[in-house]
Amino acid sequence: MKTERVNMDEKLIPLSALQHYAFCPRQCALIHNEQLWAENWLTAQGKVLHQRVDHGAPETRKGVRFERGVLVSAERLGLTGKLDLVEVHQSTGEMKPVEYKRGKPKKDSWDRIQLCAQGLCLEEMLEHPVTSGALWYWQTRHRDEIFFSDELREETRQVIEKVRQLLISGQTPKISYAKKCDSCSLYDLCNPKLLTRDDSERYVEGIFDEGEVD
């Protein structure tokens, strides 16, 4: 099925927004709709790691070309961003995006979605199939090979569309606290443990109710 080109009046979605959304739609809206950001020690470590990777010079080892800090812009997908690393196997032309992460492998699909989106961008731009990628985790010094299955591709496309609709709406989802909120750098700005309902109106009504005479 041919994918229609995204209306170019719409802003291209940063690849980072996909992971933000997969982690928490409210976090995604706070960052990309409300333009809020805050650092904590986790994001600071991740920033240092990516700076080290992105600023490395291209090189070739054992028939594999390593391109760092690769900029991508896929109009049909409506995505743009920078890839940490792309491996190009010179004998076959096979390309593989590699994403560096500060932490360790997760049960959820947050990282895999972001990586698959990178592969989809490369496919669109270079018109060459990208069948897999890799996630390298600093905490475990381990590399996970990720196959871009039909299921992962579909999940990724669904997230892309959900993020697009969120950004078009300009709305920020309501607070819904979860344990993962504790590690979010926007915790203090989001205040996830506060009640989402404003009880001031009910409080005032209660005062007047108490003063009513039968």
Side-chain angles (χ1 to χ4, degrees):
M1 180 181 296
K2 184 177 179 180
T3 304
E4 295 183 0
R5 177 175 172 170
V6 172
N7 185 340
M8 291 311 294
D9 290 335
E10 297 176 5
K11 183 179 179 180
L12 294 179
I13 298 170
L15 281 165
S16 60
L18 303 184
Q19 189 186 36
H20 293 150
Y21 184 92
F23 177 75
C24 171
R26 180 174 171 83
Q27 183 200 64
C28 180
L30 289 173
I31 294 172
H32 300 281
N33 282 347
E34 300 190 24
Q35 302 297 304
L36 297 179
W37 180 249
E39 293 276 7
N40 63 10
W41 69 277
L42 295 173
T43 59
Q45 283 187 346
K47 185 175 181 180
V48 171
L49 174 62
H50 282 87
Q51 286 176 342
R52 291 176 179 174
V53 175
D54 292 346
H55 290 84
E59 59 179 315
T60 300
R61 298 196 307 268
K62 298 180 179 181
V64 179
R65 178 72 172 174
F66 299 91
E67 297 285 348
R68 305 177 188 277
V70 178
L71 298 176
V72 294
S73 181
E75 295 181 359
R76 290 196 298 274
L77 283 170
L79 296 177
T80 187
K82 180 189 287 188
L83 313 190
D84 288 341
L85 177 70
V86 176
E87 297 177 351
V88 183
H89 294 257
Q90 296 182 321
S91 61
T92 62
E94 177 188 2
M95 293 173 292
K96 176 180 292 188
V98 180
E99 175 72 10
Y100 285 73
K101 296 295 182 183
R102 181 207 62 82
K104 58 185 178 181
K106 307 173 182 66
K107 294 181 179 180
D108 297 287
S109 56
W110 309 333
D111 296 342
R112 294 189 292 275
I113 287 173
Q114 185 183 21
L115 183 68
C116 183
Q118 294 179 5
L120 294 176
C121 286
L122 290 173
E123 283 188 341
E124 178 180 323
M125 292 177 62
L126 303 177
E127 298 183 350
H128 192 285
V130 178
T131 60
S132 65
L135 294 164
W136 190 90
Y137 291 93
W138 180 83
Q139 187 172 335
T140 59
R141 299 296 198 277
H142 180 72
R143 171 168 165 150
D144 280 353
E145 300 292 331
I146 306 298
F147 175 66
F148 299 152
S149 64
D150 291 340
E151 292 77 12
L152 180 57
R153 288 169 181 264
E154 179 58 27
E155 183 180 10
T156 301
R157 292 184 183 278
Q158 288 178 5
V159 170
I160 293 172
E161 183 56 31
K162 289 178 180 178
V163 173
R164 178 174 295 115
Q165 294 305 316
L166 179 67
L167 300 187
I168 290 174
S169 74
Q171 301 298 311
T172 299
K174 293 182 179 180
I175 294 172
S176 179
Y177 175 77
K179 186 176 179 180
K180 62 185 178 182
C181 294
D182 296 336
S183 64
C184 179
S185 66
L186 300 183
Y187 184 93
D188 291 335
L189 297 173
C190 178
N191 292 318
K193 287 188 175 181
L194 292 181
L195 294 176
T196 58
R197 179 179 176 181
D198 184 359
D199 288 332
S200 58
E201 182 177 351
R202 187 175 63 181
Y203 174 75
V204 172
E205 290 175 350
I207 294 176
F208 283 100
D209 288 343
E210 291 176 0
E212 289 180 353
V213 178
D214 292 336

